[in-house]
Amino acid sequence: RVGLNEALRCATVLACARVIANGIAQVPLKLFQEDESTGKKRTARDHPLYRVLHRRPNPWQTSFEFREMLGLHLALAGRAYCFKVVVGGRIRELIPFAPDKVRTKLAKDGVRVLYEVTGHDGMTFDVDQSLIWHIKGPSWVGWEAMDALEMAREAVGLSIATEASQASMHKNGVRPSGVYSIEGVLNQQQHEMLRKLLVANHTGENAGLPMIVDRGAKWLSTAMTGVDAQHLETRKHQVEEVCRAMGVMPIMVFSSDKAATYASAEAMFDAHVKHTLGAWWERIEQSIDCNLLTEADDRAGVYAKFIGNGLLRGSVKDRAEYYAKA
């Protein structure tokens, strides 16, 4: 099993998680209300949940920080949990839980989901289903999501192993092992002195310096070079493998082939919004509608919506075209 701390040391996993989290956090999340008779919609600023989602979900987080954290939880764990602080029948705050602090199981009746939460003091307590906002990633059983890192463990594990192997190779001077052959027999003191001499003068910062040898000494390498081991090709392949597992296009983690043009890159960015962020937005929007809004809200036409146009903030040309067409 690849743990969270180990996975985050893999640059591609960290980059993919940040891309998903930023995409969820950087666009506005608002509540709207649609008039069924006229079809017109307006921003539901008067709804108590509007400010919770759009500005301040709890006393110590902004909406951006809160949604960025949910995005990291969803990308790396496949699930996210929040406690609903309900006052007067309305949600006033959302308190997040770390995914590894919540244990989920299905009740014997097969309908209710039971939540066991571990607090900061190590004590566990049960929380009623009505007080938990549970956002689920891809799921096999319906009531709990599959573990994102567990599903990608082979790709992530090989990526970590490749990075560690190459780091070790460079640490020891690219060609880290071999046979130093000397004519004659060395006693123990001479052997230790020679070993210290080689380590001090031909590894680390001194790797690659010319060797001064005597007594017909020869260096016989038994290790493959980075080229022989195809480290660069392996690492590039693992970037793609991790991106596949996490559903992020490689260009979004700054990995692309030399054949990519501006036009093709722009199409890839557009595909990222449609096929990666769009799915996460829809998943969270529907979760809000079903778990945070009431049936009365639904009858009144209230719904949550990510404003994807927020991604156009840096593009003056695209914004001008959008407003002109509007």
Side-chain angles (χ1 to χ4, degrees):
R1 178 182 174 84
V2 178
L4 176 62
N5 291 332
E6 292 81 7
L8 286 176
R9 294 192 185 101
C10 174
T12 307
V13 173
L14 177 61
C16 287
R18 290 180 65 181
V19 164
I20 293 173
N22 288 340
I24 292 172
Q26 74 184 97
V27 298
L29 174 59
K30 297 183 179 181
L31 289 182
F32 290 92
Q33 185 171 14
E34 184 177 0
D35 190 317
E36 186 176 354
S37 59
T38 64
K40 293 182 178 181
K41 65 178 182 180
R42 67 175 183 84
T43 306
R45 291 181 176 273
D46 55 342
H47 196 285
L49 192 61
Y50 180 91
R51 189 175 185 277
V52 174
L53 294 175
H54 184 62
R55 282 298 177 211
R56 185 167 292 279
N58 54 60
W60 60 87
Q61 285 182 304
T62 64
S63 178
F64 184 99
E65 295 166 345
F66 176 74
R67 287 183 283 134
E68 180 186 45
M69 181 203 61
L70 292 184
L72 291 173
H73 289 178
L74 290 169
L76 296 171
R79 59 197 186 278
Y81 305 96
C82 293
F83 179 76
K84 308 175 191 176
V85 178
V86 181
V87 179
R90 290 292 190 178
I91 298 174
R92 304 294 177 175
E93 292 179 1
L94 291 170
I95 310 299
F97 292 136
D100 60 335
K101 299 298 183 182
V102 181
R103 182 169 173 263
T104 308
K105 61 182 179 179
L106 194 64
K108 292 182 179 180
D109 58 15
V111 177
R112 293 178 301 110
V113 179
L114 306 177
Y115 296 94
E116 184 182 88
V117 180
T118 302
H120 296 293
D121 57 358
M123 300 293 291
T124 60
F125 54 94
D126 296 327
V127 181
D128 189 77
Q129 179 180 352
S130 63
L131 295 176
I132 292 289
W133 180 25
H134 181 185
I135 311 174
K136 297 182 288 291
S139 175
W140 186 258
V141 295
W143 51 272
E144 179 61 294
M146 295 183 286
D147 190 305
L149 286 181
E150 180 65 20
M151 291 190 293
R153 65 178 179 179
E154 298 300 332
V156 176
L158 181 55
S159 183
I160 294 172
T162 304
E163 289 183 5
S165 173
Q166 194 163 6
S168 177
M169 176 175 287
H170 282 277
K171 177 183 177 182
N172 291 286
V174 181
R175 287 179 179 264
S177 61
V179 177
Y180 194 68
S181 176
I182 296 180
E183 294 181 359
V185 180
L186 297 177
N187 59 38
Q188 183 175 357
Q189 183 180 6
Q190 291 173 323
H191 183 276
E192 292 178 355
M193 289 179 61
L194 180 58
R195 180 176 180 81
K196 290 179 180 179
L197 178 69
L198 290 173
V199 171
N201 296 301
H202 303 289
T203 62
E205 295 181 355
N206 296 321
L209 292 177
M211 284 181 132
I212 301 175
V213 298
D214 58 3
R215 295 176 62 179
K218 298 178 181 179
W219 172 257
L220 305 175
S221 176
T222 61
M224 293 187 296
T225 66
V227 175
D228 296 332
Q230 292 186 308
H231 273 287
L232 188 59
E233 289 79 2
T234 302
R235 294 193 66 180
K236 284 183 177 179
H237 179 68
Q238 285 313 114
V239 168
E240 294 180 359
E241 285 289 276
V242 173
C243 286
R244 287 189 187 102
M246 301 190 69
V248 174
M249 301 192 70
I251 195 171
M252 297 307 301
V253 297
F254 307 101
S255 175
S256 63
D257 56 39
K258 296 179 181 179
T261 63
Y262 180 82
S264 63
E266 190 174 23
M268 292 178 190
F269 295 147
D270 185 54
H272 170 71
V273 175
K274 291 180 179 178
H275 302 299
T276 300
L277 295 184
W280 286 112
W281 290 345
E282 185 67 23
R283 185 185 301 276
I284 296 171
E285 287 168 358
Q286 291 195 16
S287 182
I288 292 172
D289 294 345
C290 293
N291 297 294
L292 300 185
L293 296 175
T294 64
E295 292 185 7
D297 292 327
D298 181 54
R299 290 192 297 269
V302 180
Y303 63 94
K305 185 71 175 177
F306 280 96
I307 312 301
N309 294 332
L311 294 175
L312 300 178
R313 179 177 292 185
S315 175
V316 176
K317 178 177 177 292
D318 290 342
R319 291 183 68 188
E321 291 179 358
Y322 169 77
Y323 289 129
K325 291 178 181 179

